[in-house]
Amino acid sequence: MQLMSEPTSVPSPWEADTLSVVDHVSEWGAFSREDAAAPGQWESNVVMEGMHCAACALTIEDALLKVPGVESARVSAATRRARVRWSQAQVMPSRWMQAVQDAGYRAVPAHDAFAAERRKAESRKALWQWLVAGLCMMQVMMYAWPAYQARPGDLAAEYEQLLRWASWVLSLPVVLFSCGPFFRKAWADVRHLRVSMDLPVALGMLITFAASTAGTFDPAGLFGREVYFDTLTMFVFFLLTGRWLETRLRERTAGALDALMNRMPDSVVRQTSAGTWERVAVRRLLVGDLMQIRAGEAFAADGVIERGRTCVDESLLTGESDALVRSVGEPVIAGSHNLQSTVEVRVKALGDATRFAQILALMEDASHSKPGVALLVDRWATPFLIGVLLAALAAAAWWWPHSPAHAVMVAVAVLIVTCPCALSLATPAAMLAAAGNLARQGLLVRSLPSLETLAKVDTVVFDKTGTLTRDAMSLQAVDCRPGVSREMALACAAGLAAHSVHPLSRALVQAAADEGVPQVAVADAHEVPGQGVRAHVVSGVIAEGAPDGLFRLGAAAFCGVTADSRAGASHTGPVVHVQDSEGWLATFFLQEDLRAGALGVVAGLQAQGLEVHLLSGDRMASAQAMGARLGIQQVAGECSPAGKLAYLHELQAGGRVVAMVGDGLNDGPVLAGANVSFAFGRAVSLTQSRADFVALGDQLEGVLKALVLARKTMRVVRQNLWWALAYNLACIPLAIAGYLPAWLAGLGMACSSLLVVLNALRLAGEGSLRSTGRAHASAATLLPQEA
């Protein structure tokens, strides 16, 4: 949990008295994106400083939703990030940011240059608060020890009173400095008539100090029998220790997004019109600029190398763990690292147009989503805390006739031990650790609830072409109509295929390029997903008897061809047909190879007890041959997109929980219709993908890893929830019965939260953290070192 502190001296445009600067539209791009489908509607992504629990998240959401013009607000307690959707016509950013500050928090962009400095300053102050609490605790314990060990008559009253005064003096720095974060947050709760997890804790601290102070100033009074300065300093120290360690551990579980964001440089060296080099802010870059990237620096934009040769690390962006060689004419992507040599890069894409921005947007979406269990915990957080206050009051009332001093300490123990920090962290900590693990391996989780669904999957359905097979295919043979040559047919097919992103179309375009066959010019091209492309050939008569006009390229049914008549008796690979106004024109026979790791992934899924199915738009013979190679028994061929969706619905109607794995090209409906879905390949923009999991690279093993990790994640979630519930159910009766002292309650509360986070940290996976190191190590073997 992050400790709240006083505003630091680090300047920032996001302070309360200067928030108006963010109302200028030129500033919005730093933290917001306009909805292209609804002009004037903006989505802002900000980090919330000063929050650390589920009740804090609900408080901020309520404060934001009360602002006219704010249409929605989602706040994640685990990542301390918020997504706010607002209308430009009704509200300015300063208004809803001020509402957040009025609630006792602060909203800043995740990449605000001042936020990192502020976090460092606050972290240093939190460390000092912890050190002061620890030092004073040791001294107070030393003064309390004689009172605990002395037998009646051994310690004179004046000496006992002197020790009390010494303990009181040493407790003042703890109360006035170390307890500051708890008291400030609790006071904000009181002013806004709300309850957060800091309120019961702060009340416990204040009551303990007040009762002990009364006993020190009036030894013969109601609370003079015993003082509890040692208890106060101990549980403050334990709470601060727990929060400090928990913050460090939680940063590791949810660190993938921050690690990705921190890869972008603040400035870059750019060539001027005079041919000299100058260092400018990244936001001043323009498409077409020439930038110089030195070894050890990150690429600030997507571009193409114009001079130099180097190795790059794309591990966090593509999941590729090894360094990749890049030379003149080859592309580099924003956010990747230059490992070895200085290169000059021509900027091709900036900002939201880069792949880096698309990946970042998907990860932000995931960080804002809330699993069902977490939503349930959030909903009950405030009622639970109110119940805690009532339980403490009831316990004090019960014990008061027996001993007022004991009654007060029982109430304090109840207030502290029942803090539901562990319960609020149980689900999001595990989910974010798993999502971060997968992200580092090149598989983005679009929403955390999809991990819950994936853990329940019992059936996996694969699309064949481009998913189980490589994108690259080779043209084996061409069967043409009499009077049509191979070159003519290939020119026509390539002209139509150039308007499709399907792997078969790309193979035909590549084949024409390899053979030096120019494409015919076409107009009015239209791709029918899963079927083919139709277009008018406007230039380049391909043969006598094949006049210019409407042509079709695709499956047999789409081209009006009987599949078996042109397929070839022995060919089991993909087949593509071309039709003109006179009928069948040509048939192309292609050879496809299995994607690396496909056999192992299918076998691994079956070993996990899952049923694996294969769907394909190709001929049934081709689909069955591929199924036989992979060991898949359930195969369906000649499936249109509607047919694939019907097949999926039939499985779901039979009670199956289905995961669909496709290439994202023509599988949109079936990916959306599955219980959970994966998209592989790089042909479709990440922002357009409908899948729940999006692969940044070509590693099919991500499906198996994700499924195994999802099941382990849900086991960890259940363990965390059971531990948090068992802890509260066991400790509350002990506290009410007076058997649990306040210092032990503080220790138990801190340890319960730490245990939950440590358990979730197991999901982060040490193996997934080595990719960057491997990339740097392999760079030395790929290129010679610069002199």
Side-chain angles (χ1 to χ4, degrees), residues 245-266:
L245 294 176
E246 186 185 327
T247 299
R248 304 282 80 77
L249 293 173
R250 188 158 55 173
E251 286 174 354
R252 288 191 60 189
T253 63
L257 178 58
D258 288 331
L260 187 65
M261 294 183 67
N262 292 335
R263 290 176 77 88
M264 285 299 285
D266 296 322

Side-chain angles (χ1 to χ4, degrees), residues 67-190:
V67 178
V70 174
E71 299 181 357
S72 64
R74 289 184 296 169
V75 182
S76 170
T79 62
R80 305 187 192 97
R81 297 179 183 273
R83 170 163 291 178
V84 184
R85 185 177 177 86
W86 49 280
S87 172
Q88 177 182 352
Q90 295 179 272
V91 67
M92 290 287 104
S94 63
R95 176 66 189 89
W96 55 261
M97 286 184 175
Q98 186 62 53
V100 172
Q101 293 197 359
D102 291 343
Y105 307 89
R106 179 164 48 191
V108 297
H111 52 277
D112 175 23
F114 300 98
E117 293 300 322
R118 257 197 325 275
R119 282 195 295 269
K120 288 181 182 178
E122 291 177 353
S123 181
R124 285 194 296 268
K125 185 171 183 178
L127 181 60
W128 274 109
Q129 289 169 332
W130 175 76
L131 290 172
V132 168
L135 179 63
C136 293
M137 176 198 70
M138 290 187 290
Q139 295 300 315
V140 171
M141 286 297 298
M142 182 177 68
Y143 293 143
W145 184 255
Y148 287 137
Q149 295 299 311
R151 291 175 294 181
D154 286 350
L155 187 63
E158 59 271 19
Y159 288 115
E160 181 177 2
Q161 186 64 15
L162 179 62
L163 293 175
R164 287 189 179 188
W165 276 104
S167 298
W168 180 79
V169 170
L170 287 168
S171 297
L172 284 177
V174 176
V175 173
L176 299 178
F177 179 64
S178 299
C179 295
F182 303 99
F183 289 154
R184 283 190 293 274
K185 189 64 183 302
W187 177 241
D189 290 340
V190 172

Side-chain angles (χ1 to χ4, degrees), residues 595-608:
R595 188 184 291 274
L599 277 169
V601 170
V602 171
L605 291 171
Q606 291 171 337
Q608 290 288 326

Side-chain angles (χ1 to χ4, degrees), residues 192-507:
H192 293 90
L193 301 178
R194 63 172 186 250
V195 179
S196 74
M197 296 183 189
D198 276 333
L199 183 58
V201 173
L203 282 175
M205 295 174 179
L206 191 60
I207 291 171
T208 304
F209 182 73
S212 299
T213 299
T216 301
F217 280 82
D218 185 12
L222 192 63
F223 299 101
R225 181 180 176 183
E226 189 175 359
V227 294
Y228 303 95
F229 295 117
D230 55 333
T231 296
L232 170 66
T233 54
M234 284 179 69
F235 73 66
V236 171
F237 176 73
F238 290 146
L239 288 180
L240 292 177
T241 302
R243 288 197 172 187
W244 176 265
L245 294 176
E246 186 185 327
T247 299
R248 304 282 80 77
L249 293 173
R250 188 158 55 173
E251 286 174 354
R252 288 191 60 189
T253 63
L257 178 58
D258 288 331
L260 187 65
M261 294 183 67
N262 292 335
R263 290 176 77 88
M264 285 299 285
D266 296 322
S267 62
V268 66
V269 176
R270 179 183 66 178
Q271 189 178 53
T272 66
S273 57
T276 59
W277 297 94
E278 64 174 351
R279 181 166 290 277
V280 298
V282 170
R283 64 177 179 271
R284 292 178 57 190
L285 275 180
L286 300 173
V287 173
D289 282 348
L290 187 66
M291 56 183 183
Q292 185 184 80
I293 308 298
R294 297 164 183 163
E297 295 180 342
F299 294 94
D302 290 354
V304 175
I305 294 179
E306 290 200 352
R307 184 178 181 184
R309 187 168 182 262
T310 188
C311 287
V312 299
D313 171 21
E314 299 181 355
S315 56
L316 279 182
L317 300 170
T318 65
E320 175 57 58
S321 60
D322 295 324
L324 304 174
V325 177
R326 291 287 184 265
S327 56
V328 174
E330 294 186 315
V332 291
I333 56 179
S336 60
H337 266 96
N338 180 12
L339 298 180
Q340 193 164 46
S341 306
T342 299
V343 291
E344 295 177 10
V345 179
R346 185 70 64 182
V347 176
K348 296 297 183 182
L350 289 165
D352 291 342
T354 62
R355 185 175 179 83
F356 174 87
Q358 296 174 8
I359 294 171
L360 193 60
L362 291 184
M363 294 183 71
E364 285 178 338
D365 285 341
S367 70
H368 294 306
S369 61
K370 293 184 180 181
V373 179
L375 289 172
L376 182 64
V377 172
D378 287 356
R379 191 159 47 246
W380 284 98
T382 299
F384 180 84
L385 289 170
I386 294 174
V388 167
L389 297 176
L390 295 176
L393 184 62
W398 173 265
W399 283 100
W400 191 269
H402 172 70
S403 170
H406 183 65
V408 167
M409 295 313 297
V410 167
V412 169
V414 173
L415 288 171
I416 295 172
V417 80
T418 52
C419 183
C421 294
L423 200 60
S424 68
L425 287 171
T427 300
M431 291 287 188
L432 285 167
N437 185 341
L438 292 175
R440 284 186 288 267
Q441 299 182 68
L443 189 65
L444 295 186
V445 183
R446 293 198 64 165
S447 65
L448 296 182
S450 60
L451 284 169
E452 290 183 88
T453 306
L454 183 60
K456 303 173 185 176
V457 163
D458 54 22
T459 304
V460 179
V461 178
F462 284 96
D463 177 59
K464 180 176 76 70
T465 305
T467 303
L468 289 171
T469 62
R470 297 180 186 273
D471 286 345
M473 302 183 193
S474 58
L475 179 61
Q476 298 296 304
V478 183
D479 184 16
C480 302
R481 189 172 66 197
V484 178
S485 68
R486 173 189 173 97
E487 291 74 16
M488 294 175 179
L490 186 56
C492 178
L496 273 71
H499 297 273
S500 169
V501 293
H502 194 279
L504 293 174
S505 298
R506 296 203 299 272

Side-chain angles (χ1 to χ4, degrees), residues 479 556 561-577 584 587-590 619 621-622:
D479 184 16
V561 178
T562 303
D564 293 336
S565 67
R566 298 292 173 186
S570 60
H571 186 75
T572 58
V575 175
V576 181
H577 306 276
W584 171 77
T587 296
F588 299 86
F589 302 93
L590 296 102
R619 297 174 301 120
S622 176

Side-chain angles (χ1 to χ4, degrees), residues 430-431 433-435 437-438 441 443 450-458 460 600-610 659 676 678 693 700-718 762-765:
M431 291 287 188
N437 185 341
L438 292 175
Q441 299 182 68
L443 189 65
S450 60
L451 284 169
E452 290 183 88
T453 306
L454 183 60
K456 303 173 185 176
V457 163
D458 54 22
V460 179
V601 170
V602 171
L605 291 171
Q606 291 171 337
Q608 290 288 326
L610 278 78
V676 65
F678 293 79
F693 296 83
L700 199 60
E701 293 87 347
V703 176
L704 180 58
K705 291 178 181 177
L707 184 129
V708 172
L709 189 61
R711 291 181 172 180
K712 185 177 180 180
T713 298
M714 293 315 297
R715 286 198 298 270
V716 169
V717 167
R718 287 190 289 270
R762 296 189 297 126
L763 298 169

Side-chain angles (χ1 to χ4, degrees), residues 670-715:
V670 71
L671 290 176
N675 298 96
V676 65
S677 55
F678 293 79
F680 278 80
R682 305 182 185 181
V684 172
S685 169
L686 296 176
T687 57
Q688 296 174 355
S689 175
R690 302 186 185 184
D692 300 299
F693 296 83
V694 180
L696 301 178
D698 299 321
Q699 298 88 352
L700 199 60
E701 293 87 347
V703 176
L704 180 58
K705 291 178 181 177
L707 184 129
V708 172
L709 189 61
R711 291 181 172 180
K712 185 177 180 180
T713 298
M714 293 315 297
R715 286 198 298 270

